[in-house]
Amino acid sequence: MDKSEVTVVLPTLNERGAIERVIGELRGCGYSKILVVDGYSTDGTADVARELGAEVVMQHGHGKTGAIKTAIERIDTPYMLVMDADCTYDPRDIERFLAHADAYDEIIGYRSRENMGALHRFGNWVITKAFNLLMDTGLSDVCSGMYLLKTDFARKLNLASRGFRTEVEIAAQAATYGRVTEVPISYRKRVGKAKLSTWRHGFEIISAVFGLARRYNPVLLFSALSALVGVPGLAILGWVLYRNLTAGVWHSGWALFGVILLLFSCLL
């Protein structure tokens, strides 16, 4: 695929320290269509991007979701590649996405782990495992900030999340309504101050995964919840029956609790 068919989208918020290097690397790799969607930076990020010849637009809406929606309205190429503008992603990896672009609606870059902190790695693992279980996928890094979308597919997305939940919302819709795959990419140290709070944003994202599963894959979600409740209920009733048959003891409280769990499981 020709590189002119993809627009590289850089959502930014106070990334002055990194934006010059990011745009320079993209130009060096042959990508001429660069769209910087700025969230009203106060450090001159947008001015630097304009001076370097990138197209700059101020976003509407909240957070990264607002930036992505703004970008979708402006894209005039068949594909859009979103990447964070903090130097963590290497533009040389974009070619890995382009090699498979015609066959998939979304391609996610799953990151190498050497520049992730242990807590970040663990949180990402938990979120991705939960997403795979509830959405019936086999992805490796659902929180990655570098991914390629077919523009026609992107225009059909219904984006309602905020903050750092954008990526899982896009992946959920790609897994439900389109075709999604992944390619390995490198992950470098960030330039500038991190905006992600591992604990707070991690809990927000994991809760968003359950909400997305309820919306896009409710059968699997409620089946999993039913099993989660029903299996302990059966185990408790089995133990009560065993105690009654072997020791002549009837644990009425535990029996009632087991029945309640089974009934709750059936209601789910």
Side-chain angles (χ1 to χ4, degrees):
M1 190 181 79
D2 192 274
K3 292 178 180 179
S4 64
E5 294 183 80
V6 61
T7 298
V8 179
V9 177
L10 303 174
T12 60
L13 178 62
N14 295 328
E15 298 290 0
R16 184 186 180 100
I19 193 65
E20 183 175 356
R21 176 181 167 185
V22 173
I23 292 176
E25 288 181 342
L26 285 167
R27 298 280 193 211
C29 290
Y31 299 99
S32 58
K33 290 185 173 293
I34 302 171
L35 176 62
V36 174
V37 185
D38 191 64
Y40 301 93
S41 297
T42 58
D43 66 349
T45 298
D47 296 330
V48 173
R50 287 191 189 95
E51 292 171 3
L52 294 171
E55 181 183 356
V56 179
V57 59
M58 308 308 288
Q59 76 171 62
H60 62 78
H62 296 278
K64 196 170 186 180
T65 298
I68 301 302
K69 288 169 121 178
T70 303
I72 291 170
E73 295 170 357
R74 299 291 185 118
I75 299 296
D76 60 2
T77 54
Y79 302 92
M80 58 182 287
L81 182 129
V82 180
M83 60 183 283
D84 293 339
D86 55 8
C87 284
T88 50
Y89 298 98
D90 190 337
R92 290 175 296 182
D93 289 332
I94 296 177
E95 291 193 11
R96 299 185 178 187
F97 296 82
L98 304 187
H100 310 283
D102 59 337
Y104 294 92
D105 298 294
E106 181 184 23
I107 303 174
I108 300 170
Y110 66 89
R111 297 166 288 181
S112 59
R113 299 295 190 259
E114 64 269 16
N115 287 312
M116 283 188 190
L119 187 59
H120 189 177
R121 288 198 302 270
F122 176 72
N124 189 59
W125 179 83
V126 170
I127 291 167
T128 299
K129 289 297 183 183
F131 184 91
N132 286 335
L133 174 65
L134 298 174
M135 296 302 301
D136 194 24
T137 56
L139 299 172
S140 306
D141 187 5
V142 75
C143 295
S144 174
M146 187 175 187
Y147 48 94
L148 182 80
L149 296 169
K150 283 185 177 178
T151 303
D152 287 343
F153 175 77
R155 291 196 173 110
K156 299 174 184 176
L157 292 172
N158 179 22
L159 300 179
S161 65
R162 294 188 181 186
F164 293 90
R165 292 168 284 185
T166 308
E167 278 74 27
V168 294
E169 185 174 29
I170 292 173
Q173 293 182 53
T176 303
Y177 303 123
R179 300 190 67 200
V180 60
T181 191
E182 58 187 10
V183 293
I185 59 173
S186 58
Y187 189 68
R188 308 182 296 195
K189 290 184 178 180
R190 193 193 201 288
V191 173
K193 185 178 179 181
K195 300 178 179 68
L196 176 70
S197 170
T198 303
W199 285 107
R200 179 167 65 87
H201 292 121
F203 282 120
E204 287 180 0
I205 295 170
I206 197 71
S207 65
V209 168
F210 280 90
L212 291 166
R214 183 164 57 91
R215 184 185 311 169
Y216 297 111
N217 200 2
V219 173
L220 184 58
L221 172 64
F222 288 111
S223 295
L225 291 176
S226 178
L228 191 64
V229 175
V231 170
L234 286 173
I236 289 170
L237 290 175
W239 175 79
V240 170
L241 181 61
Y242 171 79
R243 289 282 293 166
N244 182 252
L245 293 175
T246 59
V249 178
W250 178 251
H251 297 278
S252 57
W254 281 109
L256 178 61
F257 182 56
V259 170
I260 290 173
L261 288 178
L262 279 182
L263 289 174
F264 188 65
S265 171
C266 293
L267 290 174
L268 289 174

